[in-house]
Amino acid sequence: MEKVKVHPEPERCRVRFAPSPTGYLTLGGARTALYNYLFARHYKGTFILRIEDTDLVRSTQAFTDGILESMNWLGMEWDEGPFYQSKRLDIYKEYADKLIKEGKAFYREDPGKGTGVVFKMPEGIKLRVDDLIHGPIVFESEYLTDVVIVKSDGYPTYNFACVVDDSLMNVTHIIRGDDHISNTPKQIALYEGMGLPVPKFAHIPLILGEDKSKLSKRHGHNSVVEYKKLGYLPDALFNFLSLLGWSPGENIELMPKNEIIERFTIERVKHTPAQFNFKKLDWMNSHYIKNLEPAKLLALVKPLLTEAGYNVNKFDDVHQLTLVNLYRERAETLRDFVEATGFLFHDDVTYNPEAVEAYVKPAKSKEVLQDVFSGVNNLGEFSHASLETLLRNISENRKLKFKDIAQPIRVALTGNTVSPGIFETMELAGKEMVTKRLQKALQL
RNA sequence: GCCCCGAUCGUCUAACCUGGUUUAGGACACAGGUUUUUCAAGUCUGCAAUACGGGUUCAAAUCCCGUUCGGGGCACCA
């Protein structure tokens, strides 16, 4: 494939992300924004945010707010904007009038909709897109139709407003989804018709859903806010999205934001579409959860626990940190904390019947639980160390494997067979809860 | 239908531009071993791919052509 050189002048390149506020920020949109952001930061250029709200019917302020919030959440700060196309109507009108005056565009009546303005596609010319990712792509104008540039409601169309704005905002590189390739020759014809310089283009491959079609609402979770709600960390999603169609080589995958910026180049962006791999996102998210600073993790988890009705403040600050540190090893998403720590906050345990059958009901287990109950009651200090001594002793005296001690307690205390280490868990639950639940388990 | 883009393990990808260093590497997932206090995590091992057919060349995953398959676009949506 013929290569097109990027040549971004350091500190001079200008890129933009131009979402239309007709929905929340989708994963595909976020990835497009991300690649623009990475390009700008890597080359120390400028990242512009422009809201393409020229669809009067479908655009809403709520969606605009949602998009800005998602951008902030993912940590993609912009340098200029947000600019709103709906506030630039006079500018588009000026350019449209000029084209009409020069005979390059004309009014056209649509029987259903009214009078709009249409740009006449020049005949018999070749329109060449110098694509940074795909190489040169040539279109014959004979296959292209005239382009509507102003709708009958007076608003510019996407293809027109986009060209005028990119030119006026001095955008040097247009990085957008593959699905815009076929719009590009029309836009180039408009640039040329208005005598404006044509920017460079980089069409990045689409993100596909599990059925291999363009990722959309049909594929379930598709917006950034949903991923936030599901308990994914912004840095994890940032990292994951960066790898969907780009790779630094060298077999590196887990990278902090600054390293991604440092390594990102448009030359290394693939030209093949990528399927979204939820399992890998989970894995990556768990990695970020494991490595987050305790205080930051707590700040993220606490609201979720509170929202679930848990009285987190019954633990002091130190124990709150202990709690997140204990459970982070087992969490793939922040939501997992809610499920896993429930027993610590509920007055009563919800016993898993099978677990009770296997680890509490047997006579041997009851004897163990009785030992633990009296042992705990006689314990001077209720700590990890004293609990360990106690349980090890019981295990030795009864000639039982440690597992046969730990599991009955675990089920008695948490209602289930899964938890962090038994000493840590007991210590965190506290003496009162432990004795109360041992007593209850003994009645089963 | 027309125009355009694309094709490496199930998935994300490396190697492709600049052909030989490749018995095609890594990651996720999956399977097994190990560790162990349950579950995870960790660690070790295994499974698994150059769509097909022609060229070019001493040599092709890599360059060229075709076929097939997949995707995108063809709005007074963006």
Side-chain angles (χ1 to χ4, degrees):
Chain A
M1 183 204 301
E2 194 182 328
K3 282 279 174 177
V4 177
K5 291 276 184 276
V6 182
H7 281 316
E9 287 180 60
E11 321 203 3
R12 290 303 304 273
C13 69
R14 295 169 60 82
V15 295
R16 50 50 166 196
F17 176 53
S20 90
T22 54
Y24 291 106
L25 183 62
T26 60
L27 290 175
R31 215 260 318 232
T32 301
L34 178 61
Y35 281 27
N36 276 282
Y37 174 81
L38 292 172
F39 185 87
R41 290 293 172 270
H42 178 84
Y43 292 107
K44 303 198 165 43
T46 304
F47 180 44
I48 303 162
L49 183 61
R50 186 172 71 222
I51 305 297
E52 309 220 321
D53 53 350
T54 54
D55 184 333
L56 231 24
V57 182
R58 298 195 301 146
S59 299
T60 71
Q61 186 59 44
F63 284 138
T64 298
D65 294 344
I67 291 168
L68 299 187
E69 193 190 319
S70 292
M71 295 280 294
N72 284 324
W73 182 71
L74 276 170
M76 299 190 288
E77 65 282 0
W78 53 94
D79 305 308
E80 291 180 16
F83 300 110
Y84 293 85
Q85 290 190 322
S86 59
K87 292 180 184 159
R88 299 165 58 81
L89 264 28
D90 47 336
I91 298 173
Y92 311 120
K93 185 173 188 315
E94 186 188 315
Y95 278 84
D97 286 348
K98 191 161 169 254
L99 282 170
I100 293 168
K101 201 154 71 184
E102 291 169 357
K104 292 172 181 166
F106 53 93
Y107 289 102
R108 192 174 72 187
E109 177 83 15
D110 179 286
K113 284 155 183 153
T115 306
V117 180
V118 177
F119 173 79
K120 181 93 187 67
M121 183 59 66
E123 284 168 30
I125 62 165
K126 286 185 197 306
L127 294 156
R128 180 181 155 121
V129 182
D130 281 328
D131 195 288
L132 262 24
I133 292 165
H134 295 280
I137 307 167
V138 179
F139 294 84
E140 311 277 343
S141 70
E142 63 176 297
Y143 294 113
L144 269 24
T145 56
D146 294 344
V147 187
V148 176
I149 58 174
V150 181
K151 299 183 264 185
S152 54
D153 62 8
Y155 276 65
T157 58
Y158 161 73
N159 278 126
F160 184 56
C162 166
V163 166
V164 171
D165 281 347
D166 284 337
S167 178
L168 256 29
M169 295 175 188
N170 295 311
V171 172
T172 57
H173 295 75
I174 295 179
I175 302 170
R176 61 183 13 166
D178 249 356
D179 50 344
H180 284 290
I181 289 181
S182 31
N183 281 321
T184 312
K186 297 179 204 167
Q187 294 176 10
I188 289 179
L190 282 167
Y191 279 107
E192 290 175 349
M194 292 187 279
L196 301 169
V198 182
K200 290 204 162 66
F201 293 90
H203 288 99
I204 62 180
L206 264 19
I207 302 179
L208 272 29
E210 253 147 9
D211 61 353
K212 298 221 177 215
S213 71
K214 182 172 155 183
L215 194 64
S216 69
K217 320 96 222 159
R218 300 195 332 272
H219 297 93
H221 308 296
N222 186 34
S223 69
V224 171
V225 281
E226 282 175 276
Y227 281 82
K228 182 184 178 188
K229 273 200 205 109
L230 289 167
Y232 292 90
L233 299 184
D235 288 355
L237 195 55
F238 187 103
N239 191 162
F240 182 76
L241 249 21
S242 78
L243 257 16
L244 239 39
W246 171 79
S247 121
E250 301 178 56
N251 293 338
I252 304 167
E253 293 195 312
L254 296 167
M255 291 169 284
K257 186 176 170 182
N258 60 339
E259 188 180 346
I260 297 173
I261 289 170
E262 197 178 305
R263 291 178 181 276
F264 182 86
T265 59
I266 210 82
E267 287 93 337
R268 291 199 62 88
V269 174
K270 294 240 311 179
H271 33 243
T272 73
Q275 240 176 290
F276 198 86
N277 186 188
F278 298 91
K279 278 294 202 178
K280 192 158 184 174
L281 207 214
D282 284 344
W283 164 77
M284 194 168 274
N285 201 53
S286 72
H287 169 85
Y288 276 85
I289 286 177
K290 282 188 192 77
N291 290 286
L292 197 60
E293 287 167 45
K296 286 188 181 170
L297 183 57
L298 177 58
L300 292 172
V301 171
K302 203 169 165 176
L304 293 178
L305 299 182
T306 304
E307 191 185 311
Y310 301 173
N311 175 24
V312 186
N313 290 325
K314 76 177 201 180
F315 292 112
D316 61 24
D317 293 355
V318 175
H319 285 89
Q320 289 181 15
L321 286 173
T322 305
L323 183 144
V324 292
N325 284 333
L326 235 38
Y327 283 89
R328 75 197 306 166
E329 292 297 325
R330 292 154 180 81
E332 284 189 329
T333 70
L334 297 176
R335 288 237 151 268
D336 293 343
F337 284 85
V338 176
E339 169 89 1
T341 63
F343 78 95
L344 287 166
F345 298 100
H346 296 129
D347 288 337
D348 257 324
V349 215
T350 311
Y351 288 110
N352 173 335
E354 288 170 31
V356 169
E357 215 51 53
Y359 297 106
V360 174
K361 286 278 176 73
K364 268 249 164 26
S365 300
K366 286 287 174 68
E367 289 171 20
V368 166
L369 291 173
Q370 186 57 56
D371 281 5
V372 177
F373 179 69
S374 33
V376 164
N377 274 327
N378 296 327
L379 220 49
E381 175 202 43
F382 189 84
S383 69
H384 184 294
S386 63
L387 286 165
E388 174 149 16
T389 309
L390 173 68
L391 299 195
R392 297 268 181 219
N393 282 340
I394 295 173
S395 151
E396 220 168 287
N397 294 341
R398 291 211 170 263
K399 306 242 177 307
L400 287 171
K401 281 188 277 185
F402 189 77
K403 173 183 180 171
D404 298 324
I405 310 292
Q407 280 307 74
I409 302 173
R410 199 183 315 274
V411 175
L413 180 58
T414 73
N416 229 314
T417 55
V418 174
S419 87
I422 195 65
F423 313 125
E424 291 89 342
T425 307
M426 289 171 84
E427 190 184 24
L428 186 62
K431 186 171 182 173
E432 192 191 326
M433 181 181 283
V434 170
T435 49
K436 207 171 125 192
R437 295 202 178 163
L438 284 170
Q439 226 168 352
K440 187 175 178 193
L442 285 165
Q443 315 294 313
L444 293 171

Short mmCIF file of all heavy atoms in Angstrom, two decimals, chain A residues 275-306:
data_model
loop_
_atom_site.label_atom_id
_atom_site.label_comp_id
_atom_site.label_asym_id
_atom_site.label_seq_id
_atom_site.Cartn_x
_atom_site.Cartn_y
_atom_site.Cartn_z
N GLN A 275 -13.38 -6.25 17.10
CA GLN A 275 -14.55 -6.64 17.86
C GLN A 275 -14.32 -6.30 19.33
O GLN A 275 -13.24 -6.54 19.86
CB GLN A 275 -14.76 -8.14 17.75
CG GLN A 275 -16.07 -8.54 17.14
CD GLN A 275 -16.13 -10.05 16.99
OE1 GLN A 275 -15.44 -10.64 16.16
NE2 GLN A 275 -16.95 -10.66 17.80
N PHE A 276 -15.34 -5.80 19.97
CA PHE A 276 -15.23 -5.44 21.38
C PHE A 276 -15.18 -6.70 22.23
O PHE A 276 -16.02 -7.57 22.12
CB PHE A 276 -16.42 -4.58 21.78
CG PHE A 276 -16.20 -3.82 23.04
CD1 PHE A 276 -15.56 -2.59 23.02
CD2 PHE A 276 -16.61 -4.33 24.25
CE1 PHE A 276 -15.34 -1.88 24.19
CE2 PHE A 276 -16.38 -3.63 25.43
CZ PHE A 276 -15.75 -2.40 25.40
N ASN A 277 -14.14 -6.82 23.06
CA ASN A 277 -13.93 -8.03 23.85
C ASN A 277 -14.18 -7.76 25.35
O ASN A 277 -13.30 -7.32 26.07
CB ASN A 277 -12.49 -8.50 23.61
CG ASN A 277 -12.19 -9.84 24.26
OD1 ASN A 277 -11.06 -10.26 24.27
ND2 ASN A 277 -13.20 -10.50 24.79
N PHE A 278 -15.41 -8.01 25.77
CA PHE A 278 -15.82 -7.67 27.14
C PHE A 278 -14.98 -8.37 28.19
O PHE A 278 -14.67 -7.81 29.23
CB PHE A 278 -17.30 -8.02 27.33
CG PHE A 278 -18.21 -7.26 26.42
CD1 PHE A 278 -18.55 -7.76 25.18
CD2 PHE A 278 -18.69 -6.02 26.79
CE1 PHE A 278 -19.37 -7.04 24.32
CE2 PHE A 278 -19.51 -5.29 25.95
CZ PHE A 278 -19.85 -5.80 24.70
N LYS A 279 -14.63 -9.61 27.95
CA LYS A 279 -13.85 -10.37 28.92
C LYS A 279 -12.49 -9.73 29.16
O LYS A 279 -11.98 -9.71 30.28
CB LYS A 279 -13.65 -11.80 28.41
CG LYS A 279 -14.84 -12.70 28.69
CD LYS A 279 -14.99 -12.89 30.17
CE LYS A 279 -15.77 -14.14 30.50
NZ LYS A 279 -15.85 -14.31 31.97
N LYS A 280 -11.91 -9.24 28.09
CA LYS A 280 -10.59 -8.65 28.24
C LYS A 280 -10.69 -7.31 28.99
O LYS A 280 -9.80 -6.95 29.75
CB LYS A 280 -9.94 -8.45 26.88
CG LYS A 280 -8.47 -8.12 26.97
CD LYS A 280 -7.72 -8.43 25.72
CE LYS A 280 -6.24 -8.17 25.90
NZ LYS A 280 -5.44 -8.58 24.75
N LEU A 281 -11.77 -6.61 28.76
CA LEU A 281 -12.01 -5.36 29.50
C LEU A 281 -12.11 -5.67 30.99
O LEU A 281 -11.55 -4.97 31.82
CB LEU A 281 -13.32 -4.72 29.03
CG LEU A 281 -13.54 -3.21 29.13
CD1 LEU A 281 -14.98 -2.90 29.43
CD2 LEU A 281 -12.62 -2.46 30.05
N ASP A 282 -12.82 -6.74 31.34
CA ASP A 282 -12.96 -7.14 32.73
C ASP A 282 -11.59 -7.42 33.35
O ASP A 282 -11.29 -6.99 34.46
CB ASP A 282 -13.82 -8.41 32.86
CG ASP A 282 -15.29 -8.10 32.66
OD1 ASP A 282 -15.67 -6.92 32.75
OD2 ASP A 282 -16.06 -9.04 32.42
N TRP A 283 -10.80 -8.15 32.61
CA TRP A 283 -9.45 -8.47 33.09
C TRP A 283 -8.65 -7.19 33.32
O TRP A 283 -7.99 -7.02 34.34
CB TRP A 283 -8.76 -9.37 32.06
CG TRP A 283 -7.27 -9.45 32.24
CD1 TRP A 283 -6.60 -10.18 33.18
CD2 TRP A 283 -6.28 -8.73 31.50
NE1 TRP A 283 -5.25 -9.97 33.06
CE2 TRP A 283 -5.02 -9.09 32.03
CE3 TRP A 283 -6.33 -7.83 30.43
CZ2 TRP A 283 -3.82 -8.58 31.53
CZ3 TRP A 283 -5.13 -7.32 29.94
CH2 TRP A 283 -3.90 -7.70 30.49
N MET A 284 -8.72 -6.30 32.35
CA MET A 284 -7.95 -5.06 32.46
C MET A 284 -8.47 -4.21 33.61
O MET A 284 -7.70 -3.61 34.36
CB MET A 284 -8.04 -4.30 31.13
CG MET A 284 -7.02 -3.19 31.03
SD MET A 284 -6.89 -2.53 29.36
CE MET A 284 -5.72 -3.64 28.61
N ASN A 285 -9.80 -4.18 33.76
CA ASN A 285 -10.38 -3.40 34.85
C ASN A 285 -9.92 -3.95 36.20
O ASN A 285 -9.61 -3.18 37.11
CB ASN A 285 -11.91 -3.44 34.74
CG ASN A 285 -12.56 -2.29 35.47
OD1 ASN A 285 -12.21 -1.13 35.25
ND2 ASN A 285 -13.48 -2.61 36.37
N SER A 286 -9.88 -5.25 36.33
CA SER A 286 -9.46 -5.84 37.59
C SER A 286 -8.01 -5.45 37.88
O SER A 286 -7.63 -5.21 39.02
CB SER A 286 -9.63 -7.36 37.58
OG SER A 286 -8.68 -7.97 36.75
N HIS A 287 -7.22 -5.38 36.86
CA HIS A 287 -5.84 -4.95 37.03
C HIS A 287 -5.78 -3.52 37.58
O HIS A 287 -5.02 -3.23 38.50
CB HIS A 287 -5.09 -5.01 35.70
CG HIS A 287 -3.75 -4.32 35.73
ND1 HIS A 287 -2.62 -4.96 36.17
CD2 HIS A 287 -3.40 -3.05 35.43
CE1 HIS A 287 -1.61 -4.10 36.13
NE2 HIS A 287 -2.05 -2.94 35.69
N TYR A 288 -6.59 -2.64 37.02
CA TYR A 288 -6.58 -1.26 37.49
C TYR A 288 -7.13 -1.15 38.91
O TYR A 288 -6.67 -0.33 39.70
CB TYR A 288 -7.36 -0.36 36.51
CG TYR A 288 -6.48 0.09 35.36
CD1 TYR A 288 -6.32 -0.70 34.23
CD2 TYR A 288 -5.78 1.28 35.42
CE1 TYR A 288 -5.49 -0.31 33.19
CE2 TYR A 288 -4.94 1.69 34.40
CZ TYR A 288 -4.80 0.88 33.27
OH TYR A 288 -3.96 1.27 32.26
N ILE A 289 -8.12 -1.97 39.22
CA ILE A 289 -8.65 -1.96 40.59
C ILE A 289 -7.58 -2.41 41.57
O ILE A 289 -7.41 -1.83 42.64
CB ILE A 289 -9.90 -2.86 40.69
CG1 ILE A 289 -11.09 -2.18 40.00
CG2 ILE A 289 -10.24 -3.17 42.15
CD1 ILE A 289 -12.36 -3.01 39.97
N LYS A 290 -6.84 -3.42 41.21
CA LYS A 290 -5.79 -3.94 42.09
C LYS A 290 -4.70 -2.91 42.36
O LYS A 290 -4.05 -2.94 43.38
CB LYS A 290 -5.13 -5.17 41.47
CG LYS A 290 -5.94 -6.42 41.60
CD LYS A 290 -5.14 -7.63 41.13
CE LYS A 290 -6.03 -8.83 40.99
NZ LYS A 290 -6.86 -8.77 39.77
N ASN A 291 -4.48 -2.04 41.38
CA ASN A 291 -3.36 -1.13 41.49
C ASN A 291 -3.71 0.30 41.87
O ASN A 291 -2.83 1.15 41.95
CB ASN A 291 -2.57 -1.14 40.18
CG ASN A 291 -1.84 -2.45 39.99
OD1 ASN A 291 -0.85 -2.73 40.65
ND2 ASN A 291 -2.38 -3.31 39.15
N LEU A 292 -4.99 0.54 42.08
CA LEU A 292 -5.39 1.89 42.45
C LEU A 292 -5.00 2.19 43.90
O LEU A 292 -5.03 1.32 44.76
CB LEU A 292 -6.92 2.01 42.28
CG LEU A 292 -7.49 3.42 42.23
CD1 LEU A 292 -6.90 4.18 41.05
CD2 LEU A 292 -9.01 3.36 42.11
N GLU A 293 -4.66 3.45 44.16
CA GLU A 293 -4.34 3.83 45.53
C GLU A 293 -5.54 3.55 46.42
O GLU A 293 -6.67 3.85 46.04
CB GLU A 293 -4.03 5.33 45.61
CG GLU A 293 -2.71 5.72 45.02
CD GLU A 293 -2.63 7.23 44.86
OE1 GLU A 293 -3.01 7.92 45.81
OE2 GLU A 293 -2.25 7.68 43.78
N PRO A 294 -5.29 3.01 47.62
CA PRO A 294 -6.38 2.63 48.53
C PRO A 294 -7.40 3.76 48.74
O PRO A 294 -8.60 3.53 48.66
CB PRO A 294 -5.66 2.31 49.82
CG PRO A 294 -4.30 1.88 49.40
CD PRO A 294 -3.97 2.67 48.18
N ALA A 295 -6.90 4.95 49.00
CA ALA A 295 -7.82 6.06 49.29
C ALA A 295 -8.70 6.37 48.08
O ALA A 295 -9.90 6.64 48.22
CB ALA A 295 -7.02 7.30 49.68
N LYS A 296 -8.12 6.29 46.89
CA LYS A 296 -8.89 6.58 45.68
C LYS A 296 -9.93 5.49 45.44
O LYS A 296 -11.07 5.76 45.04
CB LYS A 296 -7.97 6.68 44.47
CG LYS A 296 -7.17 7.96 44.43
CD LYS A 296 -6.42 8.09 43.11
CE LYS A 296 -5.60 9.37 43.10
NZ LYS A 296 -4.67 9.43 41.94
N LEU A 297 -9.50 4.26 45.67
CA LEU A 297 -10.42 3.15 45.48
C LEU A 297 -11.59 3.26 46.45
O LEU A 297 -12.75 3.10 46.08
CB LEU A 297 -9.68 1.82 45.69
CG LEU A 297 -10.51 0.55 45.46
CD1 LEU A 297 -11.09 0.51 44.07
CD2 LEU A 297 -9.67 -0.69 45.72
N LEU A 298 -11.27 3.58 47.69
CA LEU A 298 -12.32 3.73 48.70
C LEU A 298 -13.30 4.82 48.29
O LEU A 298 -14.52 4.66 48.41
CB LEU A 298 -11.70 4.05 50.06
CG LEU A 298 -12.69 4.30 51.19
CD1 LEU A 298 -13.60 3.09 51.40
CD2 LEU A 298 -11.96 4.64 52.49
N ALA A 299 -12.75 5.91 47.76
CA ALA A 299 -13.61 7.02 47.36
C ALA A 299 -14.58 6.60 46.25
O ALA A 299 -15.68 7.14 46.14
CB ALA A 299 -12.74 8.19 46.88
N LEU A 300 -14.18 5.63 45.44
CA LEU A 300 -15.05 5.17 44.36
C LEU A 300 -16.05 4.13 44.85
O LEU A 300 -17.18 4.06 44.39
CB LEU A 300 -14.21 4.57 43.23
CG LEU A 300 -13.34 5.55 42.45
CD1 LEU A 300 -12.43 4.80 41.49
CD2 LEU A 300 -14.21 6.54 41.68
N VAL A 301 -15.60 3.30 45.78
CA VAL A 301 -16.43 2.19 46.24
C VAL A 301 -17.49 2.65 47.25
O VAL A 301 -18.63 2.20 47.22
CB VAL A 301 -15.56 1.08 46.87
CG1 VAL A 301 -16.42 0.03 47.55
CG2 VAL A 301 -14.68 0.43 45.79
N LYS A 302 -17.08 3.55 48.11
CA LYS A 302 -17.96 4.00 49.20
C LYS A 302 -19.35 4.45 48.74
O LYS A 302 -20.35 4.02 49.31
CB LYS A 302 -17.26 5.11 49.98
CG LYS A 302 -17.79 5.26 51.40
CD LYS A 302 -16.89 6.19 52.20
CE LYS A 302 -17.61 6.63 53.47
NZ LYS A 302 -16.73 7.47 54.32
N PRO A 303 -19.42 5.30 47.73
CA PRO A 303 -20.75 5.73 47.28
C PRO A 303 -21.62 4.57 46.80
O PRO A 303 -22.83 4.57 47.00
CB PRO A 303 -20.45 6.67 46.12
CG PRO A 303 -19.03 7.04 46.24
CD PRO A 303 -18.33 5.95 46.97
N LEU A 304 -20.98 3.57 46.20
CA LEU A 304 -21.74 2.42 45.71
C LEU A 304 -22.31 1.62 46.87
O LEU A 304 -23.44 1.14 46.83
CB LEU A 304 -20.85 1.52 44.84
CG LEU A 304 -20.37 2.11 43.52
CD1 LEU A 304 -19.46 1.12 42.80
CD2 LEU A 304 -21.55 2.47 42.64
N LEU A 305 -21.50 1.47 47.91
CA LEU A 305 -21.96 0.73 49.09
C LEU A 305 -23.09 1.50 49.77
O LEU A 305 -24.09 0.92 50.19
CB LEU A 305 -20.79 0.51 50.06
CG LEU A 305 -19.60 -0.30 49.53
CD1 LEU A 305 -18.54 -0.48 50.62
CD2 LEU A 305 -20.04 -1.66 49.00
N THR A 306 -22.89 2.79 49.88
CA THR A 306 -23.91 3.63 50.51
C THR A 306 -25.22 3.56 49.73
O THR A 306 -26.30 3.42 50.30
CB THR A 306 -23.42 5.09 50.56
OG1 THR A 306 -22.16 5.12 51.23
CG2 THR A 306 -24.41 5.97 51.29
#
